[in-house]
Amino acid sequence: MSGAQFEDYVTRILARFHDDFTNPAPSGTLGDGGCDGLADAGKILYACYGQRPARNAERELQAKLVSDFTRGRDSWATFLTWRFVTNAPVGPETLKSFTSLQQQHDEGTQRPLTMRIWQPANLWTEVVSTLTPQVLDELYPGAPGIENLELVDLLPLLDAIGQSDDGVDVAASVLPVPANKMDFNNLPLGSRLEFNSGRLMAPRIEKWYADASDPALSDAHGERFRAIYLAAREVTTEPVEILERIYVAVAGANFRMDAKRANAAYAVVSYFFDSCHIFETPPATLGSAHAAAN
């Protein structure tokens, strides 16, 4: 998502998180005072910025952050915490400006403030993961995580894959799913095609995990996938049924009714298939992996 679409998306979520969240409507020359939402009796001020295609994206982000903060500080005297929510990459110039503003409002200054930049992962960790299943279902009808709440933090990854259509970070040449593992687990042709399609998104998934604030997130998700796989295997011995149960745990019961959601599910599940967290690895492959590690 980009531009106003991302900003609307964020404020819609925040309105369900804070019971007193208010996003002021712009008023003539006063605008919105650099505010995209006040909450907690005016103690928290949010500013949102959705990335926009631009040659000077870093400069635009830097200018937006400084402008929103300055206008917010001068327009709203009550807030103690300022959160700048953006899906744009934060580069060195933006970070320099942000840390400078932090130092100007550190403890002991005339107006001490707690200031944070929130990226999508922070929004999901701090806000979305705390919402009830009922609220999640209202925000994301048929969302993954409703059936299996322990996977709620996979929502941003599936959304990141499903919302992006440019394909600029998709690998130019992607190897097929290892045939010996597919054969070893007796997966049918349809499943192989889904996995081969999903693996086109592997570079995007790698980048998402690399950018995550928690360096252990990929391993944690892998362990959860393994547990879901083992639970499914207790119910059925049919490989295609096991796979379908994994898809549903990740992307919701009706995921095939949404092409983007289905493609995102194929991508994430194939990623953890290739990383050997789900289904069984042929003995020869295990030996080769062990030899390579040594």
Side-chain angles (χ1 to χ4, degrees):
M1 285 178 283
S2 62
Q5 183 185 19
F6 175 76
E7 293 156 17
D8 292 343
Y9 169 73
V10 171
T11 55
R12 187 163 58 94
I13 292 172
L14 293 174
R16 301 310 303 269
F17 180 65
H18 296 284
D19 61 6
D20 65 345
F21 180 86
T22 303
N23 185 6
S27 176
T29 58
L30 297 176
D32 59 9
C35 175
D36 290 308
L38 277 177
D40 197 15
K43 296 176 185 176
I44 302 173
L45 186 146
Y46 288 95
C48 302
Y49 177 71
Q51 64 178 335
R52 291 157 168 82
R55 294 181 62 180
N56 296 312
E58 168 69 357
R59 294 293 184 187
E60 288 191 11
L61 177 63
Q62 177 193 32
K64 179 64 173 173
L65 182 145
V66 173
S67 172
D68 275 2
F69 175 76
T70 303
R71 291 191 297 132
R73 178 193 59 194
D74 296 343
S75 301
W76 308 92
T78 60
F79 74 88
L80 304 174
T81 296
W82 184 76
R83 293 171 180 163
F84 185 75
V85 187
T86 182
N87 60 352
V90 178
E93 297 306 314
T94 301
L95 190 57
K96 288 176 186 176
S97 294
F98 178 68
T99 54
S100 176
L101 292 171
Q102 282 183 306
Q103 291 169 4
Q104 293 172 33
H105 294 274
D106 205 351
E107 291 292 336
T109 61
Q110 185 175 2
R111 188 178 177 184
L113 297 170
T114 299
M115 302 171 60
R116 296 291 184 267
I117 296 176
W118 273 14
Q119 301 255 255
N122 302 105
L123 183 69
W124 286 90
T125 301
E126 302 294 333
V127 177
V128 177
S129 65
T130 69
L131 299 176
T132 65
Q134 291 76 17
V135 172
L136 286 172
D137 195 41
E138 292 171 12
L139 288 169
Y140 313 97
I146 301 303
E147 293 80 6
N148 192 330
L149 286 177
E150 68 171 345
L151 287 175
V152 68
D153 52 358
L154 269 177
L155 276 165
L157 174 55
L158 268 70
D159 277 355
I161 297 170
Q163 290 290 343
S164 183
D165 294 319
D166 53 32
V168 295
D169 60 343
V170 176
S173 177
V174 179
L175 296 176
V177 175
N180 59 337
K181 184 174 180 180
M182 301 292 278
D183 292 341
F184 187 74
N185 287 278
N186 296 316
L187 289 178
L189 177 60
S191 299
R192 299 178 189 225
L193 294 174
E194 290 169 353
F195 275 22
N196 279 330
S197 173
R199 290 187 82 233
L200 293 170
M201 295 295 105
R204 188 168 293 168
I205 297 174
E206 290 282 4
K207 183 179 185 303
W208 189 86
Y209 278 120
D211 292 343
S213 57
D214 180 1
L217 187 58
S218 177
D219 289 338
H221 283 168
E223 290 303 315
R224 294 185 202 173
F225 266 91
R226 184 67 183 172
I228 291 169
Y229 162 71
L230 293 175
R233 203 175 62 175
E234 290 292 320
V235 178
T236 178
T237 59
E238 290 294 326
V240 70
E241 293 180 13
I242 293 173
L243 181 58
E244 194 70 12
R245 287 175 180 273
I246 296 172
Y247 282 149
V248 169
V250 172
N254 298 320
F255 76 98
R256 293 188 186 277
M257 297 177 66
D258 182 334
K260 287 187 176 182
R261 182 68 73 193
N263 289 334
Y266 303 153
V268 174
V269 174
S270 66
Y271 179 85
F272 285 101
F273 178 90
D274 288 351
S275 64
C276 297
H277 286 92
I278 56 175
F279 288 92
E280 304 308 308
T281 302
T285 306
L286 282 172
S288 299
H290 180 75
N294 292 289

